[in-house]
Amino acid sequence: MDTIVFVDHDSKWLANYKRMLTPFEEELDCVYFHHSEEAMEYMSSHPTAVLVSELDMPVMSGRELFEMMDLLSPATVKIGMTQVRNVADTLNILNQIKIYKLILKPFFLAEDLIVPIRAALEHYKEESQGKSTLDKAEKKLQELNQEAEKLQEKLAEKKQKHDRVLHAMLVMAEADLSFPVSDFDPQKKEKAKQFCAELLQEFFQYYTYEKKNLIFYLSYLKNRFHRAGKSCIFGIQNKVRMEIPVTVMNRIAYVTFLTGFLCESCLERYHVENVLEAEGEEYVLQIWYDWQTEAEGKEKDPEVRKLYENIIRGLQEALSDRMAEKTGERRRVLKLFFQREEGRQ
């Protein structure tokens, strides 16, 4: 039940208010004070819907009390009361402060008091509901703004992924254009086509569809490329003891796949060791592998092998933040660096 506070320094009038409002006790929660200071102390800790106060009072006048309430509780509806002889002064006050209703004394009927109070309570409820609706709308707006920020972050992440996809495709196209592929015979062209098609298929599987985690990726790679019985060794060591961000993890996994796929496509047998470590602000993937000559390998055509190598190197360079390679007569060492935080250079 909303509270109504009455303030009047005249004890007789306070007694009249109580007598007139006794029949409405179940409807109204009324509190009465002789002094404005006491009323202020009460209202500072109790929500008040309506304040009914005599305007002409000693020490703190009704006008001063209303001004204080504007600061303390702007939502409280204010009703002023004054003697008929003070109407001129009252009109001057009304021009300076905000009062919802004015009751002129003397009055003798309960309706003269209860009617403006009920109207003030209705006004208070309407204003409170309006504020509640506004608060809800503001809260909803905040939630929508938060959702928009999340969507913006997701959009930025998607853009990064699409940029990676585009970059990967451009690398393949540039590698294709750097060779006289148009001069390839139909069999060579079909090999190049199938090679690039599988690279793209795997790329989308790793990088766009996002599987589970690095352990999942590395297990998949080991199962695909490690065939000890056929002298195809594909070792993987993960020395990183922390969670790797998804966008970085997918790049590392796909770059690891590229080495295995190159060896599988070109060599009858191979020995590849992949070691992933954390160094400073970077993840470092070191790859050691043997490289057979064309005569010893599965793919004996030097032009096709060279095309495969160029495409793989281009993709590895595009997907890592930087790369270093050392090539010996039979042994190759590749070192790829990935910033721990996506987008940092």
Side-chain angles (χ1 to χ4, degrees), residues 56-319:
D56 184 18
M57 293 187 295
V59 185
M60 181 185 287
S61 67
R63 171 184 173 178
E64 293 171 324
L65 177 60
F66 287 152
E67 288 175 343
M68 292 294 293
M69 280 305 296
D70 281 337
L71 298 174
L72 180 65
S73 176
T76 298
V77 182
K78 294 172 281 293
I79 296 177
M81 294 188 293
T82 189
Q83 299 289 333
V84 173
R85 66 176 182 273
N86 296 331
V87 171
D89 293 338
T90 302
L91 290 176
N92 185 43
I93 293 173
L94 290 174
N95 290 328
Q96 299 178 46
I97 60 175
K98 183 181 178 181
I99 298 178
Y100 178 68
K101 296 279 186 183
L102 177 65
I103 301 175
L104 296 178
K105 295 178 179 178
F107 57 87
F108 306 99
L109 299 176
E111 286 75 8
D112 294 329
L113 190 59
I114 191 64
V115 170
I117 287 175
R118 282 174 172 165
L121 283 171
E122 187 65 28
H123 181 73
Y124 175 78
K125 290 176 182 178
E126 289 175 356
E127 290 292 316
S128 297
Q129 289 174 356
K131 186 177 184 302
S132 176
T133 302
L134 181 61
D135 289 343
K136 289 179 181 178
E138 289 179 351
K139 183 179 179 181
K140 186 64 177 178
L141 182 59
Q142 289 178 353
E143 291 174 355
L144 289 173
N145 286 335
Q146 291 174 355
E147 287 296 322
E149 289 177 4
K150 291 179 182 178
L151 288 173
Q152 192 67 30
E153 290 175 0
K154 289 183 179 179
L155 181 62
E157 185 178 333
K158 290 292 183 185
K159 183 179 182 303
Q160 285 182 339
K161 292 180 180 180
H162 291 147
D163 288 345
R164 293 282 184 187
V165 172
L166 179 59
H167 199 169
M169 291 180 175
L170 287 175
V171 167
M172 291 183 192
E174 288 170 1
D176 184 57
L177 292 173
S178 65
F179 281 81
V181 180
S182 59
D183 296 334
F184 278 12
D185 60 40
Q187 187 177 5
K188 287 184 182 180
K189 285 182 180 179
E190 185 60 28
K191 284 183 179 180
K193 178 181 176 181
Q194 290 178 359
F195 186 83
C196 290
E198 186 158 1
L199 285 178
L200 274 176
Q201 180 180 342
E202 288 287 333
F203 184 90
F204 281 104
Q205 180 173 311
Y206 282 79
Y207 201 79
T208 304
Y209 295 140
E210 295 180 7
K211 290 186 178 175
K212 298 181 180 179
N213 52 41
L214 188 61
I215 295 174
F216 182 93
Y217 283 116
L218 299 186
S219 176
Y220 168 76
L221 290 167
K222 187 113 184 223
N223 289 334
R224 168 154 186 175
F225 296 122
H226 184 72
R227 297 186 291 276
K230 295 184 179 181
S231 297
C232 296
I233 308 300
F234 194 80
I236 301 177
Q237 296 183 55
N238 177 20
K239 295 185 177 181
V240 176
R241 298 293 178 259
M242 64 185 73
E243 185 177 353
I244 301 176
V246 172
T247 52
V248 181
M249 175 184 69
N250 292 340
R251 288 193 285 145
I252 292 172
Y254 186 67
V255 163
T256 308
F257 160 81
L258 290 173
T259 303
F261 189 62
L262 177 63
C263 291
E264 183 184 60
S265 301
C266 295
L267 307 178
E268 291 286 357
R269 59 187 181 279
Y270 50 79
H271 187 164
V272 183
E273 291 294 338
N274 303 273
V275 179
L276 179 62
E277 299 177 294
E279 294 183 5
E281 297 298 317
E282 297 176 308
Y283 301 107
V284 181
L285 177 64
Q286 296 189 68
I287 305 172
W288 295 269
Y289 61 101
D290 299 322
W291 191 250
Q292 302 163 17
T293 65
E294 291 89 340
E296 300 172 310
K298 180 189 297 185
E299 178 53 62
K300 303 186 185 307
D301 190 306
E303 289 184 327
V304 173
R305 282 171 63 109
K306 193 65 176 176
L307 176 63
Y308 289 176
E309 288 182 64
N310 274 21
I311 292 174
I312 295 298
R313 289 296 172 271
L315 285 170
Q316 288 176 327
E317 188 171 5
L319 294 171

Side-chain angles (χ1 to χ4, degrees), residues 315-339:
L315 285 170
Q316 288 176 327
E317 188 171 5
L319 294 171
S320 60
D321 292 310
R322 57 193 178 95
M323 183 175 78
E325 185 175 11
K326 183 178 180 181
T327 304
E329 183 178 347
R330 302 280 296 188
R331 187 76 165 170
R332 295 187 176 186
V333 181
L334 189 63
K335 203 169 185 179
L336 301 120
F337 300 84
F338 303 84
Q339 289 286 341

